[in-house]
Amino acid sequence: MIPTIFGIMLITFAVTQFVPGGPVEQLIAKIEGHGSGGAEVRATGGGALYQGAKGLDQERIAKLQQLYGFDQPPMKRFWLMMKHYLVFDFGTSYYHQQSVAALVISKLPVSMSLGLWSFVIIYGTCIPLGIAKAVREGSRFDVLTSSAILVGYAIPGFVLGILLIVLFGGGSFWSLFPLRGLVSDNWQTLPLLGKITDYLWHMVLPVVSMAVGSLAVMTLLTKNSFLEEIRKQYVITARAKGLEENRVLYRHIFRNAIIPIITGFPGSFVTAFFTGSLLIETIFSLDGMGLLAYESILNRDYPVVLGTLYFFTIIGLISRLLSDLSYVMVDPRITFDSVESR
């Protein structure tokens, strides 16, 4: 995990630091292009550097580079950045003028809502549906459900989102669901049950748009995993002994077939809290991590880009570690102990 995160940060730092149009160049363009210097310049302490339409001399450009820390050699900047990141000090956003940690925390409710409810819908639907399809393989139910989920898989999430808005968001047909934000404007004045209902009602369209595309993969994975176990010899033996079909399915097949699905559960559950979708957030006017990442890249907001990358890389690596450990917990055949050579 340590060399992985070090390599990711080093490569990303090299790419972001040497591409044209960095924060210094953008600030210079704003200073030279706006008669009053702009609110962004004053916010960064650079208002006194404004020189009207005459441009900036090298001395003032050097001060700007010093302001952003670009007067230091690249490797020194990288080591200083990693030193701060080790204690989770991500610095201050160039664009938003607030700490990166506070900025990410302010965006997490949207991403956590989208990711968590999508996770619940995907796992809550794909496991029972996959089992039902495996038991009824080749039946009309199997064919119809496969066709439905593959059609959903083929439709991009943002296209489905637009379609749902047209149908149920007051576009051309029914006005059933709200289209903006996590809650209504009068959310604070609602009773507790009204707050919960209002929040869930806002989540319906964006969550459905995100979840439908993933249902096909997980459902077919569940189905194929159960089919593989159903065809094994121990299942034939259990049926030959006269065991009931439900007991064979849930006492023998289930605990073996569910291993490939359940081992990905910890990683999916952890990452569900931090996922973001730019297109879904844009369509439904949700200000989450996807939109923050996109704006940060456009504005060359390196503290946000690198700080969030570092944090979410750690989250991703931990989730993969949990997935590996879960293999040992659910499958006694797997062990991390070394086998002595005979």
Side-chain angles (χ1 to χ4, degrees):
M1 292 170 62
I2 293 176
T4 298
I5 192 170
F6 181 84
I8 291 173
M9 296 305 300
L10 180 61
I11 294 173
T12 308
F13 178 85
V15 172
T16 57
Q17 297 295 307
F18 299 108
V19 294
V24 174
E25 290 82 357
Q26 291 200 12
L27 184 55
I28 291 174
K30 291 178 181 178
I31 293 174
E32 294 179 345
H34 295 80
S36 61
E40 297 88 350
V41 178
R42 291 192 296 271
T44 57
L49 299 172
Y50 174 64
Q51 296 294 300
K54 297 183 296 183
L56 297 177
D57 54 32
Q58 289 299 319
E59 180 181 355
R60 296 185 183 275
I61 292 177
K63 289 183 178 180
L64 286 179
Q65 292 176 336
Q66 184 178 7
L67 177 68
Y68 286 108
F70 285 92
D71 57 326
Q72 302 290 336
M75 287 307 299
K76 184 176 181 179
R77 297 203 308 270
F78 176 75
W79 288 115
L80 288 174
M81 180 191 74
M82 293 302 297
K83 180 179 178 181
H84 287 95
Y85 282 7
L86 288 175
V87 294
F88 295 96
D89 177 11
F90 302 124
T92 303
S93 167
Y94 295 156
Y95 184 74
H96 297 276
Q97 295 305 312
Q98 66 179 111
S99 70
V100 174
L103 188 62
V104 170
I105 291 173
S106 68
K107 308 294 183 182
L108 276 181
V110 170
S111 299
M112 289 175 63
S113 297
L114 292 174
L116 182 60
W117 290 115
S118 298
F119 171 84
V120 171
I121 289 177
I122 291 170
Y123 272 86
T125 303
C126 73
I127 293 178
L129 181 58
I131 295 174
K133 287 172 63 61
V135 173
R136 299 172 177 84
E137 184 194 16
S139 66
R140 179 178 297 180
F141 171 81
D142 184 29
V143 174
L144 291 178
T145 53
S146 295
S147 301
I149 62 176
L150 289 175
V151 168
Y153 179 74
I155 300 176
F158 69 93
V159 175
L160 180 60
I162 295 174
L163 178 62
L164 292 176
I165 289 176
V166 172
L167 291 177
F168 304 111
S172 302
F173 295 91
W174 303 279
S175 180
L176 300 178
F177 296 97
L179 302 179
R180 298 179 59 86
L182 288 178
V183 293
S184 301
D185 294 335
N186 64 335
W187 187 78
Q188 293 291 345
T189 63
L190 297 175
L192 178 60
L193 182 59
K195 289 181 177 179
I196 296 174
T197 304
D198 181 76
Y199 164 74
L200 294 177
W201 206 241
H202 278 76
M203 285 287 97
V204 172
L205 296 187
V207 168
V208 169
S209 302
M210 287 188 63
V212 167
S214 301
L215 284 176
V217 177
M218 292 301 301
T219 301
L220 294 179
L221 175 63
T222 304
K223 174 189 173 181
N224 293 334
S225 179
F226 273 79
L227 282 177
E228 182 180 356
E229 293 297 322
I230 288 174
R231 294 163 180 165
K232 289 186 177 179
Q233 184 62 42
Y234 75 89
V235 177
I236 300 175
T237 303
R239 287 171 174 167
K241 290 181 178 180
L243 295 179
E244 296 180 357
E245 189 63 28
N246 283 339
R247 186 173 182 181
V248 173
L249 179 62
Y250 293 106
R251 292 290 299 274
H252 296 274
I253 299 174
F254 185 85
R255 62 181 182 181
N256 293 322
I258 203 66
I259 289 175
I261 295 94
I262 205 66
T263 48
F265 188 92
S268 300
F269 185 75
V270 172
T271 55
F273 285 90
F274 306 102
T275 54
S277 174
L278 169 63
L279 294 176
I280 298 299
E281 291 174 13
T282 302
I283 292 171
F284 293 98
S285 300
L286 299 172
D287 190 10
M289 290 301 302
L291 196 58
L292 174 64
Y294 178 70
E295 290 178 346
S296 300
I297 294 173
L298 285 184
N299 295 309
R300 302 295 194 271
D301 198 349
Y302 295 152
V304 176
V305 173
L306 294 170
T308 54
L309 176 67
Y310 177 83
F311 178 71
F312 293 132
T313 300
I314 290 180
I315 295 296
L317 292 173
I318 291 175
S319 66
R320 288 179 178 272
L321 177 62
L322 293 176
S323 297
D324 290 342
L325 294 176
S326 65
Y327 273 102
V328 181
M329 297 176 62
V330 301
D331 191 347
R333 296 171 298 179
I334 298 176
T335 177
F336 290 147
D337 297 332
S338 61
V339 179
E340 295 181 1
S341 59
R342 296 179 180 179

